[in-house]
């Protein structure tokens, strides 16, 4: 038990910036293309240029850190934590951690989409604030709900 509990410290190590840089321009561009496609369905008329989305003079630029890798790390760590609460063996814990990591894709896409919608409605500054906070708030809510559920079921 102590080793599996100590293993949670693995998720306290920050994601190396080299990994974020390797995923950037690919991951942010894909998220922007998806978000632009959705808002264009409603006639928004945004353009994706590299890792930026543009509408008129409003621009939302995604940085290397916006690739979503840190969110993947956070969610996989939350999955491991939930596994600690209802331990069913190492294979189950690894599988749960990987499933939680996969949740980062739709959560990140939702955050980028909301940021693009905010860009259209309120401008670049508000869009950046939404991008910087929405995915983390959703991830925190998911984590808290899961941890509560896991504690109640034990």
């Amino acid at each position: 038990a102590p080793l599996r509990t100590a293993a949670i410290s693995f998720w306290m190590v920050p994601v190396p910036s080299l990994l974020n840089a390797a995923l950037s321009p690919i991951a942010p561009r894909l998220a922007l293309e998806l978000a632009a496609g959705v808002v264009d369905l409603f006639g928004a008329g945004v353009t994706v240029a590299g890792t930026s989305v543009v509408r008129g003079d409003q621009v939302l630029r995604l940085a290397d850190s916006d690739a979503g890798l840190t969110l993947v790390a956070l969610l996989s760590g939350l999955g491991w934590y939930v596994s600690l609460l209802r331990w069913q063996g190492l294979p189950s814990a690894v599988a749960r951690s990987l499933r939680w990591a996969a949740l980062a894709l739709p959560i990140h896409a939702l955050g980028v989409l909301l940021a693009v919608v905010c860009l259209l409605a309120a401008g670049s500054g508000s869009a950046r604030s939404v991008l910087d906070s929405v995915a983390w708030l959703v991830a925190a809510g998911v984590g808290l709900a899961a941890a509560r559920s896991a504690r109640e079921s034990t």
Side-chain angles (χ1 to χ4, degrees), residues 80 87-95:
W80 184 265
W87 189 252
Q88 298 170 336
L90 183 62
S92 174
V94 170

Side-chain angles (χ1 to χ4, degrees), residues 116-139:
V116 170
V117 168
C118 193
L119 175 75
L120 300 173
S124 300
S126 297
R128 180 87 224 141
S129 296
V130 166
L131 183 64
D132 288 343
S133 60
V134 165
W136 298 106
L137 292 172
V138 171

Side-chain angles (χ1 to χ4, degrees), residues 33-48:
E33 291 284 355
L34 177 65
V38 170
V39 297
D40 278 346
L41 290 174
F42 299 97
V46 297
T47 304
V48 175

Side-chain angles (χ1 to χ4, degrees), residues 11 68 70-83 85-86 92-107 138-150:
W11 285 275
T70 307
L71 188 60
V72 169
L74 169 76
L75 287 169
S76 68
L78 287 172
W80 184 265
Y81 173 71
V82 170
S83 293
L85 295 175
R86 39 178 144 156
S92 174
V94 170
R96 177 174 281 122
S97 192
L98 291 172
R99 284 193 307 270
W100 277 66
L103 285 174
L105 294 172
I107 292 173
V138 171
V142 167
L144 290 171
R148 181 176 183 187
S149 172

